[in-house]
Amino acid sequence: MQRDLKAMSEAEYDLVIVGGGITGASVAWDASLRGLKVALLEKGDFAHGTTSGSSKLTHGGLRYLVNGELKLVRESLRERRVWEQVAPHMVHPLPFVIPTYGWGMKGPVVLSIVLTFYDLLSYDRNWLSDTDKKLPGFRSISRGETLDLIPSLPRDGLTGGKIYYDCQMFAPERLCLSVLMGAVEYGAKAANYAEVTRFVTEASASGNTKRISGVDVTDRLTGETHMIKGRVVVNGGGPWADKMIGMAEEHKPSRRLMRSKGIHIITRDISGKYAFAIQSDIGGHFFVIPWRGHTIIGTTDKLYEGDPDKVGVSEDDIEDFLRVVNNGLPGLELTRDDVIHFYAGLRPLIDDSEEGEEKDSYTASREAEVCDHSKLDGIEGLISALGGKWTTSRALAEEVVNMALAKLGREAKCETEATPVHGGEIGRLKSFIERAKRAHPDMSEEAIENLVMYYGSEYERVLEMAEGDNADANLKRRLGLNVPDIGAQVIHAVRNEMAQTLSDVIFRRTGLGTLGTPGTDVVKRVAELMARELDWDETRLANEMAETLKRFETVSPESQKAPQQVQGA
């Protein structure tokens, strides 16, 4: 995957996609498999925003069932199975425990009814070739069994619990990149750090409306500007999507988003192999999720009116969330010292509220909307994908591409439901991992398993970076005692995955920074490997290190205030 904005500007595309999160990547993947000529532009790094700031779940949305959103739940459950099938190295079953209290709405009878419907709606959940991916139906457990699993629960009124299954992503940012690389395999072109600053318009055939025929883009690495031509432009800007609509319409956008900020904290392993769905009296529900030998606790759901580019986690955010967690699980008694790492994301929710009406992001629907701006605003050649959730991004992309094909006067069947993502052709995961370990007895088993989980069937290509006459023998070694990642991953990220900055590698091409700081020595080692590849001088290396290490720090609330001018996505 190579970056070349100049070459992109010399071609004309069927589809120009603005936004390199999971929505844009999924549209690029789908469209490329259907034979369209595709260009994708992302103003930051791929998956740098909402896509990487999730709870790392691929789930049906049990809460949406309680809200009566049956269509959304069914779609989510179907897509959960699809992700298991097309990304077997990335999406895995995860058992959840829900405690029950009393005999009312939080009691065992009501929850059994809800979970029965949940299982019925996921009737196809076990249409999978890998038996390890199959999900059992829910079951009830006693009060004692529930306390054995979650000893920190409030005990007053506790009647027992239920165990049900959903799925978890090993690394959402990596899965997004795998989807995008699948698009590139089929001919798509992509560029990160390419900011769309203007829609290129011309008069439509009727003369009464305008038509978008491309975009102006600024290369944020060189400062150069380019025009990328496309017959249809797709706005997949996530939390920035309404700002893109405003840029196209040159006035207040016709479709608005409300942005909901969700923070997560990472702590030591406190949940074993089970995830917990916990209700707090002071802050709604939250999840306690096992992940890579640690525990993720999330998420908050708070209306965010600041700058989407500057969302972060403040000390106040952490303290407020700890109060919620300790209210729901008083036996934990978590303190700030228990927080190893933290991160934030923004949910882009469709805002249907009336002017002046109080907004509530918690109860707002997670359904997506595909907007044809020729019908909405009289702007030809623009489609916006708004809202939605990680799990249903593939289905949203299918709807977008169907609309784009109709505009282009073409027909082609969607192939993404049955096509593995880049690296997804592995068969049974456990067997694949065992074969990989036997094939590389000179490497640690942890390093090999980590490679398979990140790259799937492409892991050998990463190891090629450590082979050959000019390779560094140390590239097969782990970058630190407490991390499984190896030096070859850094070189691969630069040469083949468009990594441009140290943060790209630390946070999105590898898992080095996703559990908190791996240590200055590890960050420096990665920076030195990148400097050798990208010809950084000492000043650039030091600046990259400083910027990356800063990302492990909390931010001030004032730094997240909304900008005065509208910015593109």
Side-chain angles (χ1 to χ4, degrees):
M1 187 166 69
Q2 303 299 322
R3 180 180 187 276
D4 192 341
L5 279 168
K6 184 177 186 299
M8 290 172 70
S9 71
E10 295 169 351
E12 183 172 2
Y13 297 90
D14 296 315
L15 222 60
V16 173
I17 301 164
V18 183
I22 189 55
T23 297
S26 295
V27 172
W29 184 37
D30 189 329
S32 298
L33 263 63
R34 297 205 224 184
L36 297 183
K37 190 174 182 179
V38 175
L40 181 143
L41 304 163
E42 164 57 51
K43 76 171 183 178
D45 188 29
F46 308 120
H48 80 283
T50 297
T51 297
S52 59
S54 74
S55 298
K56 309 186 193 303
L57 297 178
T58 310
H59 65 114
L62 191 61
R63 179 166 67 88
Y64 314 143
L65 183 59
V66 176
N67 294 343
E69 296 182 275
L70 298 181
K71 179 177 177 290
L72 176 60
V73 174
R74 170 58 199 148
E75 179 184 53
S76 300
L77 291 169
R78 182 192 69 230
E79 293 302 309
R80 180 187 68 182
R81 173 185 56 80
V82 172
W83 283 118
E84 280 190 279
Q85 187 76 17
V86 302
H89 58 307
M90 277 285 178
V91 181
H92 315 287
L94 180 65
F96 281 77
V97 181
I98 305 181
T100 57
Y101 286 87
W103 298 96
M105 294 303 293
K106 297 180 182 180
V109 175
V110 171
L111 190 54
S112 289
I113 293 171
V114 172
L115 288 171
T116 296
F117 274 105
Y118 200 63
D119 284 348
L120 288 171
L121 288 170
S122 62
Y123 60 85
D124 56 349
R125 64 184 180 276
N126 291 328
W127 295 1
L128 299 160
S129 56
D130 187 344
T131 56
D132 295 328
K133 298 290 185 180
K134 295 186 176 182
L135 308 180
F138 87 92
R139 62 185 176 91
S140 303
I141 57 176
S142 68
R143 184 178 189 273
E145 290 173 304
T146 304
L147 286 172
D148 285 343
L149 293 173
I150 321 177
S152 53
L153 279 172
R155 304 191 176 206
D156 187 23
L158 179 68
T159 52
K162 309 290 179 183
I163 294 179
Y164 76 99
Y165 284 76
D166 260 315
C167 288
Q168 180 180 52
M169 292 177 279
F170 184 74
E173 61 284 346
R174 187 75 218 179
L175 179 50
C176 176
L177 188 66
S178 298
V179 170
L180 181 57
M181 293 182 75
V184 171
E185 282 181 316
Y186 280 82
K189 303 299 180 183
N192 54 3
Y193 298 99
E195 182 172 5
V196 171
T197 56
R198 188 178 73 91
F199 288 102
V200 178
T201 60
E202 58 187 33
S204 66
S206 66
N208 297 323
T209 60
K210 65 180 180 180
R211 177 177 189 83
I212 290 177
S213 57
V215 296
D216 284 340
V217 57
T218 297
D219 187 335
R220 296 179 66 184
L221 301 180
T222 67
E224 297 174 348
T225 59
H226 304 275
M227 184 177 76
I228 312 295
K229 297 181 288 292
R231 297 175 64 191
V232 176
V233 175
V234 173
N235 169 20
W240 294 267
D242 58 344
K243 295 180 179 293
M244 293 304 300
I245 295 173
M247 183 189 296
E249 297 171 354
E250 299 176 350
H251 57 73
K252 186 177 180 180
S254 56
R255 298 299 286 139
R256 295 173 295 139
L257 294 177
M258 69 171 81
R259 284 164 270 272
S260 167
K261 177 179 171 180
I263 77 158
H264 298 77
I265 58 176
I266 296 179
T267 186
R268 65 186 185 278
D269 179 9
I270 59 174
S271 60
K273 67 177 184 178
Y274 290 92
F276 311 147
I278 304 298
Q279 187 71 32
S280 168
D281 293 333
I282 63 174
H285 82 284
F286 61 90
F287 292 124
V288 179
I289 305 168
W291 190 62
R292 293 176 55 196
H294 293 70
T295 295
I296 299 172
I297 306 178
T299 175
T300 60
D301 195 331
K302 186 176 180 181
L303 195 64
Y304 180 82
E305 296 180 336
D307 185 348
D309 287 310
K310 296 180 180 179
V311 65
V313 180
S314 69
E315 289 295 330
D316 288 345
D317 288 333
I318 295 174
E319 292 299 330
D320 289 346
F321 190 40
L322 285 174
R323 280 192 286 272
V324 171
V325 173
N326 287 325
N327 176 266
L329 294 171
L332 277 183
E333 298 182 348
L334 287 180
T335 69
R336 179 64 178 86
D337 291 339
D338 294 309
V339 178
I340 299 170
H341 188 45
F342 43 81
Y343 61 93
L346 290 178
R347 303 174 190 87
L349 307 174
I350 296 170
D351 185 1
D352 289 324
S353 63
E354 298 293 333
E355 193 73 32
E357 181 181 349
E358 186 176 352
K359 300 177 182 180
D360 183 358
S361 61
Y362 184 77
T363 60
S365 174
R366 269 53 176 171
E367 281 204 80
E369 179 180 331
V370 179
C371 296
D372 180 350
H373 289 275
S374 65
K375 298 177 181 178
L376 187 65
D377 314 299
I379 302 175
E380 297 284 351
L382 178 63
I383 298 172
S384 288
L386 304 176
K389 53 199 287 276
W390 223 114
T391 306
T392 56
S393 55
R394 189 211 65 86
L396 173 60
E398 182 177 348
E399 188 177 350
V400 170
V401 178
N402 286 344
M403 185 179 291
L405 282 169
K407 288 181 173 296
L408 294 168
R410 295 169 61 175
E411 293 184 5
K413 182 182 176 182
C414 177
E415 301 288 346
T416 54
E417 185 173 352
T419 303
V421 302
H422 182 80
E425 296 179 341
I426 64 172
R428 187 169 182 261
L429 178 61
K430 283 185 178 179
S431 301
F432 190 91
I433 291 174
E434 288 306 313
R435 290 196 300 273
K437 289 177 180 178
R438 288 197 299 270
H440 298 280
D442 58 323
M443 296 182 63
S444 75
E445 291 191 352
E446 187 180 8
I448 287 293
E449 185 166 348
N450 184 67
L451 285 172
V452 172
M453 299 293 265
Y454 265 85
Y455 305 93
S457 57
E458 294 291 310
Y459 85 96
E460 291 276 14
R461 191 180 179 198
V462 179
L463 292 177
E464 289 174 2
M465 300 297 107
E467 298 170 355
D469 295 338
N470 298 319
D472 182 346
N474 290 330
L475 291 179
K476 281 191 176 182
R477 294 183 183 177
R478 289 159 60 163
L479 289 161
L481 292 176
N482 299 317
V483 297
D485 308 85
I486 63 173
Q489 291 176 255
V490 180
I491 306 303
H492 179 71
V494 174
R495 294 182 186 177
N496 301 312
E497 296 178 344
M498 221 178 288
Q500 307 292 332
T501 73
L502 181 58
S503 291
D504 295 346
V505 172
I506 294 292
F507 293 105
R508 288 173 293 279
R509 302 302 185 278
T510 72
L512 284 167
T514 54
L515 289 171
T517 175
T520 303
D521 289 346
V522 172
V523 174
K524 185 177 180 182
R525 172 63 176 151
V526 175
E528 289 172 343
L529 287 171
M530 292 190 72
R532 188 175 67 187
E533 288 291 309
L534 296 171
D535 198 25
W536 291 347
D537 60 21
E538 288 297 323
T539 300
R540 174 69 186 271
L541 188 149
N543 288 340
E544 290 284 341
M545 283 193 61
E547 176 62 28
T548 298
L549 292 171
K550 187 178 180 181
R551 292 175 184 266
F552 294 106
E553 302 173 1
T554 53
V555 302
S556 67
E558 291 76 19
S559 68
Q560 303 177 75
K561 289 182 178 179
Q564 296 300 310
Q565 295 181 341
V566 173
Q567 297 178 354

